[in-house]
Amino acid sequence: PMLAKVDEKGNWVVYVGTRAGPSTDAEGNLDVITLSPPNKRGGELVVDSGAVKTYYGTSTTPLDLVYEPVTDYLWIVTSSTLAYWNQEQDSLRSPLSTNGLTGAGFTSIDADSRGNLWVGTSTQGVFRLTPRPTNPDTLSVLHYTTRQGLLSNTVQDVAVDSALGFIWFAHETGV
């Protein structure tokens, strides 16, 4: 997975979930690449030395990531891990308190305009996670399954339409 944004200095920042081997079971990392905008470099994308930083902390390969601007954290899911990172941290970290979110096989993540994280799973439907604004280590958890209207408990992807406030769930049988 990859995500890009422009930082407060106008630089391009690219976040890339990487892995140590060919399997999604391989150890995962986060590479953060900072680039000067091409209009300041004669139209070229140039990666200066020291512009790539790697952060460690997931036991398996990142599958999806989302930047959540309300709390200013980047969130990552692997098949078995939920982790977060911000610019002051030297590694990826898993939240300490996620009561109700155990044993899930994650597939996807997205964030809504209120700072909620929507996490799709391979067999347990969707979880809405609400981090505390001052501390991402404590998340309140709501769980949605076919009983609440999902087409299937296997969620392949989650997408948030922030303009309309809709949360979309992709399943093998439809959206």
Side-chain angles (χ1 to χ4, degrees):
M2 182 172 66
L3 178 75
K5 70 175 195 153
V6 177
D7 71 10
E8 63 280 350
K9 297 177 184 175
N11 294 316
W12 292 8
V13 182
V14 181
Y15 305 93
V16 181
T18 61
R19 59 183 168 191
S23 166
T24 57
D25 292 336
E27 183 177 310
N29 307 314
L30 173 68
D31 286 349
V32 180
I33 306 161
T34 304
L35 306 160
S36 297
N39 63 354
K40 293 184 178 180
R41 296 283 190 127
E44 290 187 45
L45 287 176
V46 178
V47 179
D48 295 322
S49 63
V52 179
K53 295 182 181 176
T54 301
Y55 299 91
Y56 304 92
T58 61
S59 58
T60 55
T61 300
L63 298 175
D64 201 3
L65 51 91
V66 64
Y67 172 71
E68 199 292 295
V70 173
T71 58
D72 195 33
Y73 284 93
L74 183 80
W75 290 87
I76 296 172
V77 291
T78 73
S79 60
S80 59
T81 306
L82 172 69
Y84 65 90
W85 175 83
N86 76 2
Q87 292 182 19
E88 288 79 37
Q89 294 171 318
D90 59 352
S91 65
L92 299 169
R93 300 181 185 183
S94 291
L96 299 174
S97 177
T98 56
N99 293 337
L101 180 67
T102 55
F106 303 117
T107 59
S108 54
I109 188 168
D110 208 344
D112 66 24
S113 60
R114 294 182 177 192
N116 296 308
L117 302 170
W118 293 85
V119 180
T121 70
S122 58
T123 60
Q124 295 182 26
V126 174
F127 291 90
R128 188 189 80 184
L129 311 174
T130 305
R132 289 187 181 170
T134 57
N135 184 355
D137 279 321
T138 302
L139 302 169
S140 53
V141 178
L142 287 176
H143 188 203
Y144 300 92
T145 64
T146 54
R147 288 184 176 171
Q148 286 77 32
L150 293 178
L151 296 177
S152 166
N153 286 332
T154 300
V155 177
Q156 295 171 327
D157 201 3
V158 176
V160 174
D161 180 338
S162 55
L164 297 176
F166 293 134
I167 313 298
W168 296 91
F169 308 107
H171 308 275
E172 58 191 29
T173 57
V175 177

